[in-house]
């Protein structure tokens, strides 16, 4: 694969039932490309966690997945409230999810830690009151 492939998704922030659709579609696309199952699993987990975070905290956003010969890059962008304290948000179990979100089984505070755990590199760019962009990379080498 000498060219870079891009998959773009809009993440609906109003509907929990649609959360995860982009990660399911990416999983199918990566299977068709012959990507290793373990890599697909890592991408799927990181992407799903990101999608759920966008729905819970930011009213949705956009996901771009770029596949090249040596890596898969996932860029998640939202226009939500931003992350006030990234270091705190990265701690397992920390969550700003509401009780109603927790009652749905979400908001355990594992989203960002899992995104970092299942990727080779993760960068968070956030502006309080403006939104967040998370860029994750998974090596194919």
């Amino acid at each position: 694969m000498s060219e870079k492939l891009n998959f773009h998704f809009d993440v609906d922030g109003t509907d929990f039932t649609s959360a995860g659709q982009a990660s399911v579609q990416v999983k199918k696309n990566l299977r068709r490309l012959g990507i290793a199952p373990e890599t697909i699993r890592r991408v799927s987990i990181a992407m799903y966690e990101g999608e759920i975070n966008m729905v819970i905290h930011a009213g949705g956003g956009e996901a771009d997945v770029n596949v090249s010969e040596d890596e898969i890059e996932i860029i998640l962008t939202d226009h939500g409230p931003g992350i006030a304290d990234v270091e705190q948000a990265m701690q397992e179990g920390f969550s700003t999810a509401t009780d109603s979100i927790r009652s749905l089984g979400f908001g355990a505070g594992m989203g960002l830690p899992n995104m970092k755990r299942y990727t080779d590199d993760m960068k968070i760019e956030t502006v309080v009151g403006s939104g967040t962009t998370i860029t994750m990379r998974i090596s194919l080498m």
Side-chain angles (χ1 to χ4, degrees), residues 21-98:
Q21 285 181 350
S23 57
V24 168
Q25 188 57 52
V26 165
K27 182 190 291 189
K28 289 178 184 174
N29 292 347
L30 295 178
R31 263 196 209 122
R32 279 192 215 109
L33 291 171
I35 303 294
E38 176 59 20
T39 301
I40 293 172
R41 186 178 80 82
R42 293 175 63 204
V43 169
S44 297
I45 292 169
M47 186 140 173
Y48 178 78
E49 294 283 13
E51 281 182 83
I52 292 296
N53 276 356
M54 284 195 281
V55 173
I56 291 173
H57 301 290
E62 296 181 353
D64 284 284
V65 179
N66 301 306
V67 182
S68 64
E69 281 188 58
D70 55 349
E71 74 176 8
I72 297 171
E73 176 187 58
I74 305 164
I75 303 170
L76 307 174
T77 307
D78 70 54
H79 302 289
I83 302 170
D85 186 337
V86 172
E87 193 175 314
Q88 186 178 38
M90 288 300 299
Q91 293 177 15
E92 292 187 9
F94 176 79
S95 179
T96 57
T98 63

Side-chain angles (χ1 to χ4, degrees), residues 123-139:
K123 181 172 70 170
I124 299 173
E125 298 171 84
T126 187
V127 177
V128 174
S130 186
T132 301
T133 298
I134 297 178
T135 304
M136 298 175 282
R137 290 184 167 80
I138 297 172
S139 176

